[in-house]
Amino acid sequence: MTNAVTTIKVTGSQPAENYDVLVGHGLLGHVATYLGERVRRVLVIHPRALRTTGEAVREDLAAQGFESFTAEIPDAEEGKHLQVAGFCWQVLGQNDFTRSDAIVTVGGGAVTDLGGFVAATWLRGVKVIHIPTSLLGMVDAAVGGKTGINTAEGKNLVGAFHPPAAVIADLDALQTLPANELVTGMAESVKCGFIADPRILELIEEDVKDATNAESDRLREIVERSIQVKAEVVSADLKESGRREFLNYGHTLGHAIELAERYQWRHGAAVSIGMVFAAELSRTMGRIDDQLAERHKNILELMGLPTSYRNDRWSALLDGMRRDKKSRGDLLRFVVLDGLAKPAIQEVPDTAILFATYQEIAS
């Protein structure tokens, strides 16, 4: 197990868009460094399941001279609601948080999404540092500055772009992660492999058991490569006006599945099916060959991720996809592939094509 600290830079057109992503072991002591000298008050937002960790972070900050507070929110997607954001705003207001104070999030992707949104909206923007504790949070949600909450109509339809001051990916957190959480989080790394860095796919295919071992150097390399993919895309396109849309590979159907399942499914499981659908759509459109399409299904099933969904839910899924952020009016748009690591956008005006494609993956 490698003990060195890796620093991955995210850059942008403005100084506020530049930040470090630290990857390594035993990194929680770095939080105060990135808070800076002006911050006096810090709110630590954490889910109920991480109460002990959240309190430990608060106590560490208090020992270093910060006025520190905690806001405990519901676990997973249940925490990404307007009422929860309102509770956090209330805590900030009651404790006189100013624009020079900060928020620290501790948890998975749902916590970084919610906490980032609270930071983006309190006084029109305060500093936030993310400490992702899940694989999904480390390789995806915490990096990039996208924040959001869910509504009854869909996932992440309300949000803001708000880059963090730093992301601290302490790999020690993965050692206490349930095996299913680790595997479903890997779906986002697989996505990065197909759209940008095929070495990620090879690392998984060569030894899937080692790739999903929380203490392995192989998993660390997968994490670092995944973060590097996202950092490079985000640095070139913070507000999703171009290349950043490619990071949504598999997410159009994936988000629709999450909505149909009332967010009781893990994000990675839904995106896994979404990627198989996107690959099949790419094949249907003549963009990729059979081998690349089948590789999606093979690697995802190798990891134990789902690759098909119920045949009787098409109507609900189509309604969900129409609410996708990539849609333009009534026109559905999908991230597809023109080859390995060659993502593109495909407009699909005829939903009959989508239905026929779905039949190829439906169970």
Side-chain angles (χ1 to χ4, degrees):
M1 186 169 66
T2 304
N3 290 321
V5 178
T6 300
T7 302
I8 299 170
K9 299 282 187 181
V10 179
T11 59
S13 58
Q14 305 293 328
E17 298 172 7
N18 302 333
Y19 56 94
D20 293 341
V21 182
L22 302 188
V23 183
H25 296 273
L27 301 182
L28 295 186
H30 292 266
V31 177
T33 301
Y34 287 98
L35 285 172
E37 297 179 356
R38 294 185 62 201
V39 173
R40 289 181 54 208
R41 300 176 185 86
V42 183
L43 177 65
V44 178
I45 298 177
H46 65 84
R48 187 176 299 113
L50 291 174
R51 179 180 296 168
T52 301
T53 305
E55 182 58 27
V57 172
R58 187 203 67 77
E59 290 177 353
D60 185 65
L61 292 171
Q64 297 183 66
F66 296 98
E67 292 182 53
S68 54
F69 309 86
T70 59
E72 183 174 289
I73 66 173
D75 296 328
E77 294 292 325
E78 291 301 313
K80 287 181 59 175
H81 291 286
L82 182 60
Q83 296 90 334
V84 180
F87 161 68
C88 293
W89 291 325
Q90 183 178 28
V91 175
L92 292 167
Q94 290 175 343
N95 291 288
D96 301 320
F97 271 65
T98 68
R99 189 169 284 177
S100 61
D101 294 320
I103 289 171
V104 171
T105 69
V106 179
V111 180
T112 58
D113 281 355
L114 181 281
F117 179 70
V118 170
T121 50
W122 183 253
L123 299 177
R124 299 188 177 90
V126 297
K127 180 180 291 188
V128 63
I129 292 175
H130 296 312
I131 305 175
T133 59
S134 70
L135 183 60
L136 173 66
M138 290 179 187
V139 303
D140 185 49
V143 181
K146 282 172 71 172
T147 74
I149 56 175
N150 301 334
T151 68
E153 290 68 36
K155 183 171 180 175
N156 296 332
L157 295 180
V158 177
F161 291 98
H162 188 62
V167 177
I168 298 175
D170 192 330
L171 298 170
D172 290 343
L174 300 181
Q175 296 176 24
T176 59
L177 206 62
N180 182 56
E181 285 280 332
L182 190 66
V183 169
T184 54
M186 286 286 280
E188 289 288 351
S189 291
V190 171
K191 174 201 74 178
C192 290
F194 279 116
I195 67 170
D197 184 359
R199 179 58 186 155
I200 293 172
L201 305 178
E202 294 170 359
L203 286 164
I204 296 169
E205 290 166 333
E206 288 167 2
D207 191 338
V208 68
K209 186 176 180 180
D210 195 43
T212 53
N213 176 359
E215 299 184 30
S216 74
D217 288 337
R218 183 180 297 268
L219 178 58
R220 176 173 180 154
E221 183 177 353
I222 291 170
V223 170
E224 291 179 355
R225 284 180 174 273
S226 302
I227 292 172
Q228 188 65 52
V229 168
K230 186 155 192 183
E232 290 175 0
V233 172
V234 168
S235 294
D237 179 20
L238 172 65
K239 296 192 175 180
E240 210 167 37
S241 58
R243 283 181 59 204
R244 186 162 183 172
E245 282 194 320
F246 296 152
L247 293 171
N248 288 315
Y249 186 61
H251 284 58
T252 304
L253 180 64
H255 282 165
I257 290 173
E258 287 183 276
L259 179 61
E261 293 290 337
R262 300 186 179 183
Y263 303 113
Q264 297 305 302
W265 268 44
R266 291 299 181 196
H267 174 71
V271 168
S272 176
I273 299 169
M275 282 190 283
V276 175
F277 177 80
E280 190 60 40
L281 180 61
S282 303
R283 173 161 57 180
T284 298
M285 295 298 194
R287 287 177 173 266
I288 64 173
D289 59 22
D290 293 348
Q291 184 179 11
L292 182 53
E294 288 301 317
R295 191 179 184 188
H296 284 69
K297 188 174 181 179
N298 292 341
I299 191 170
L300 292 165
E301 289 183 348
L302 179 67
M303 298 176 61
L305 287 165
T307 56
S308 63
Y309 189 65
R310 293 168 51 178
N311 195 29
D312 61 349
R313 302 303 298 275
W314 173 247
S315 178
L317 296 178
L318 183 59
D319 286 343
M321 289 191 290
R322 291 189 189 282
R323 296 168 181 164
D324 184 76
K325 297 186 293 296
K326 292 185 298 301
S327 297
R328 301 292 184 269
D330 293 330
L331 188 63
L332 284 167
R333 300 164 74 249
F334 293 82
V335 182
V336 293
L337 295 178
D338 278 334
L340 185 58
K342 295 179 180 178
I345 297 293
Q346 175 73 56
E347 296 182 347
V348 186
D350 186 357
T351 58
I353 295 173
L354 299 179
F355 178 73
T357 301
Y358 184 70
Q359 296 309 299
E360 295 296 322
I361 74 157
S363 57

